[in-house]
Amino acid sequence: ANSWEEVKDLVSIACEKWKWHYLTKWHYLLLILGIFLSIIQYLRKREITNIQIQLLIQFGIALFGVLLYSFLMLKQFKAHDYYFIDTFLTPIILLLVFVFSFVKFKNITLNIIAFILLSISVYEMNRHSLDAQVQRHETGAWDTTLFAIQNYKDGDQVLNALNISKDAKLLVLDSEVPNIPFILLGRSGYTVHSLNKANIENKLNWDYDYIVMQNTNVTTVFFDIYPELRSQLVRIGGNNNFSVFKKELNTKQNLSSLLGLNNRSTVYKNTIKIDKKWSNNNFTTDSIIEFNKNEEFALTLELEDKSTFVNKNRIAKVKVNINHKTEKSNLMLVFALMEENETVFYQTKLLNSGENTFIFTPQPLASSKNKVSLYLYNPNKENFKVKDFEIEVF
């Protein structure tokens, strides 16, 4: 941490985020009760055994060690709950053993009561801890880690087909999870965690052979974050989920060439100017649709023929031309897939005023009975106009 104020902020965030995940209220109660009873017992007898002294020394050593480690790694505690297991769990266990070593009852009734209370506490500890584990392992369409796994699945076969050596080094531009792409692609290399121009520009000078990126992030990286990169790379292959690029200067690339779509046929196409059956529309002219502030879910297209998405990976290219006057708009484009009323794919893109082009890489549907939706989400209930809205599926 850079300052004492930051220390307090980081500790506060970590405590608020994780305090009920690896310790429950029963753990805290048991620890407080143990400290209270041990103090009473010690004050009564004023005795401490050699084993208890050794336990206290071990607790002190462990606590000092984890405090040093925490001092160095404090910024990680707010993001990762497993740092608690690596550090404070051991001294807490040693402290529990130490304080309860003072608690001894000669009365058999008190021992039975203590055993029953302890059994209840242990049961509740386990129950709450298991609930916390279930919560920590919940996943869904919002899970970027799961999405990366789906996109890079069988990626090693794609690279093999491109005759990319097993020794080739990859630069993965858009990975929030550093190891997963390399495990699934069967190669080693580097990742860019924070997607900003300076970070990407720095890593472009590293020692790598190929650049890899999920298709759904191509528009964000090549058109919003680092437009100049379009003239430095050429796509050599990939699939509907990810693309492989080589560094090649002075190339002129549009979105279709960056994704290898130029020579591919469209399997589905729809536009609001042709098909006026999209729900929640309010045409003011043949080419402009106006929405007022009362409409939260505006302009929805639900695909009737969903067979094109069944058991097939697809690329959906969506163009939206809108006009809104809000300086900080939260108007979003949403692409979603539903299977038996459960969302299996859900991606949002923030819409700027003017022309917008986005790429979505939805996972295959299991059945044509499932729901495919493309819609505008207007959480701030802004006034805006849609001049054009088009979807192409490859």
Side-chain angles (χ1 to χ4, degrees), residues 127-385:
R127 190 171 67 84
H128 283 275
S129 294
L130 287 171
D131 288 344
Q133 284 295 307
V134 169
Q135 182 185 343
R136 292 291 294 122
H137 288 89
E138 282 180 354
T139 187
W142 43 265
D143 192 336
T144 54
T145 301
L146 180 65
F147 196 60
I149 293 170
Q150 292 168 346
N151 280 339
Y152 287 119
K153 185 180 179 183
D154 299 325
D156 57 333
Q157 298 175 25
V158 176
L159 299 190
N160 292 340
L162 293 171
N163 294 317
I164 294 176
S165 166
K166 289 284 185 180
D167 297 324
K169 294 179 184 176
L170 308 178
L171 176 63
V172 180
L173 281 188
D174 59 351
S175 179
E176 296 182 16
V177 279
N179 298 323
I180 287 173
F182 304 112
I183 293 169
L184 297 174
L185 295 171
R187 273 81 176 166
S188 59
Y190 319 99
T191 57
V192 179
H193 283 308
S194 179
L195 275 178
N196 58 67
K197 185 175 180 179
N199 211 4
I200 295 173
E201 203 165 26
N202 174 47
K203 294 191 172 52
L204 287 175
N205 297 316
W206 287 14
D207 179 26
Y208 61 88
D209 301 299
Y210 300 92
I211 290 176
V212 178
M213 186 180 357
Q214 296 174 72
N215 289 339
T216 193
N217 292 320
V218 163
T219 52
T220 303
V221 173
F222 287 137
F223 290 85
D224 298 333
I225 297 174
Y226 199 165
E228 298 91 337
L229 196 57
R230 297 204 303 269
S231 63
Q232 300 177 34
L233 303 177
V234 61
R235 187 181 192 271
I236 64 166
N239 57 19
N240 278 354
N241 295 327
F242 72 91
S243 294
V244 183
F245 302 92
K246 279 283 285 185
K247 202 165 184 181
E248 187 174 312
L249 299 178
N250 301 318
T251 60
K252 292 185 178 180
Q253 304 274 343
N254 57 27
L255 182 60
S256 294
S257 60
L258 287 167
L259 291 169
L261 303 179
N262 286 334
N263 298 320
R264 295 181 56 179
S265 58
T266 302
V267 297
Y268 175 85
K269 186 173 182 178
N270 203 339
T271 172
I272 192 66
K273 290 183 179 180
I274 298 173
D275 183 358
K276 297 183 181 181
K277 294 179 181 179
W278 296 30
S279 62
N280 299 336
N281 64 33
N282 182 22
F283 283 88
T284 54
T285 70
D286 284 342
S287 59
I288 296 178
I289 312 156
E290 189 169 352
F291 295 91
N292 60 52
K293 61 184 180 181
N294 295 321
E295 295 172 282
E296 184 176 358
F297 298 95
L299 201 59
T300 301
L301 172 66
E302 290 188 11
L303 275 64
E304 294 179 4
D305 180 12
K306 297 173 280 286
S307 59
T308 184
F309 289 96
V310 177
N311 298 324
K312 295 183 183 73
N313 289 315
R314 293 296 186 187
I315 292 179
K317 182 166 73 172
V318 182
K319 296 180 181 178
V320 187
N321 191 336
I322 65 167
N323 186 337
H324 62 70
K325 296 180 180 179
T326 308
E327 188 174 342
K328 290 185 178 180
S329 172
N330 281 321
L331 184 64
M332 286 183 282
L333 174 67
V334 180
F335 196 101
L337 303 182
M338 300 281 291
E339 287 187 359
E340 297 180 355
N341 296 321
E342 181 181 349
T343 302
V344 295
F345 177 87
Y346 182 91
Q347 276 196 331
T348 64
K349 303 288 185 180
L350 191 64
L351 288 166
N352 297 313
S353 189
E355 292 186 2
N356 298 264
T357 303
F358 300 108
I359 293 296
F360 297 96
T361 55
Q363 66 187 71
L365 286 174
S367 167
S368 60
K369 296 179 181 179
N370 297 314
K371 185 177 177 181
V372 180
S373 299
L374 176 70
Y375 60 92
L376 299 180
Y377 176 44
N378 188 19
N380 291 358
K381 297 184 178 178
E382 308 164 28
N383 291 319
F384 66 96
K385 295 179 181 180

Side-chain angles (χ1 to χ4, degrees), residues 30 33-42 44-45 52 99-119:
L30 193 66
L33 179 63
I35 292 172
F36 177 73
L37 290 175
S38 64
I39 291 172
I40 292 176
Q41 289 286 71
Y42 176 74
R44 283 178 58 198
K45 296 186 177 182
Q52 289 171 330
V99 296
F100 275 99
S101 68
F102 286 92
V103 182
K104 299 172 184 176
F105 300 111
K106 293 181 179 179
N107 187 304
I108 189 169
T109 303
L110 288 176
N111 276 313
I112 292 171
I113 293 171
F115 178 77
I116 292 171
L117 291 175
L118 189 61
S119 299

